[in-house]
Amino acid sequence: MKARDVMVSPVITACEDATVQDVAKTMIARRISAVPIVDKAGKLVGIATEADLMHRIEAGTERPYSWWLHILSGDQAMAEGYVQSHARKISDIMTREVKTADPETPLIDVAELFETNDIKRVPIVNQAGDLLGIVSRANIIQAVASARPHLEITLSDAAIRQELMEELKKQPWAHTHKLNVTVTRGIVDLWGTVESEQVRKAI
């Protein structure tokens, strides 16, 4: 399987001039733990995670001054911590060096990115830097859980997934950002959250 077979798309994003509070509200409203940050052209420029918002002055959780940490880390590290807890713009606290993959990246390589970089998600981008989707650790576990015996299916797994996702994206009630689809040997598994039993049945 490849990244395109399990990635969630479309991706909930925020623009680089959004405020920290805007991004925090998006995380809560959309029930997500990270928000890719894009520029005006839609290119990926960073990512903001729950960890980036943990030590904030608004919540009284900023790290207190420590003289021994100051001695060990110096002024620069202390200044960076101050920015992390006080900055208003998300562009000032987001992670800029984002580990990404392209849609054709094998899942084994995506899993390796998770392990070697101690990260929980990998944005999927094309060669132009456009954000196409995102793969989380949960998406890989979903692929494992979806494993099935081999069946004789005319369409490829990728074609089945693409057709299903294209149909769901046409439906305003489907909220595909909350869903993920895995197709293994012709069998479809649906993962995510829905607002009602009617929406579940429709999907």
Side-chain angles (χ1 to χ4, degrees), residues 13-41:
T13 63
C15 58
E16 58 185 337
D17 60 353
T19 66
V20 172
Q21 189 176 40
D22 289 338
V23 173
K25 288 180 178 178
T26 297
M27 287 181 179
I28 293 171
R30 301 292 191 169
R31 297 177 182 178
I32 53 180
S33 59
V35 179
I37 310 300
V38 297
D39 62 17
K40 293 179 180 178

Side-chain angles (χ1 to χ4, degrees), residues 145-203:
S146 301
R148 294 290 193 278
H150 180 71
L151 299 175
E152 292 299 329
I153 303 296
T154 304
L155 289 176
S156 69
D157 289 347
I160 294 171
R161 186 178 193 271
Q162 181 178 350
E163 289 190 23
L164 178 55
M165 292 302 295
E166 286 177 354
E167 176 63 24
L168 289 177
K169 287 175 184 178
K170 296 176 185 176
Q171 313 306 324
W173 43 262
H175 302 297
T176 53
H177 67 275
K178 295 183 179 180
L179 301 174
N180 190 31
V181 176
T182 60
V183 183
T184 307
R185 298 181 179 136
I187 296 178
V188 176
D189 278 288
L190 295 164
W191 307 82
T193 58
V194 293
E195 302 300 324
S196 68
E197 177 66 15
Q198 289 79 8
V199 171
R200 187 191 72 82
K201 288 181 178 179
I203 291 171

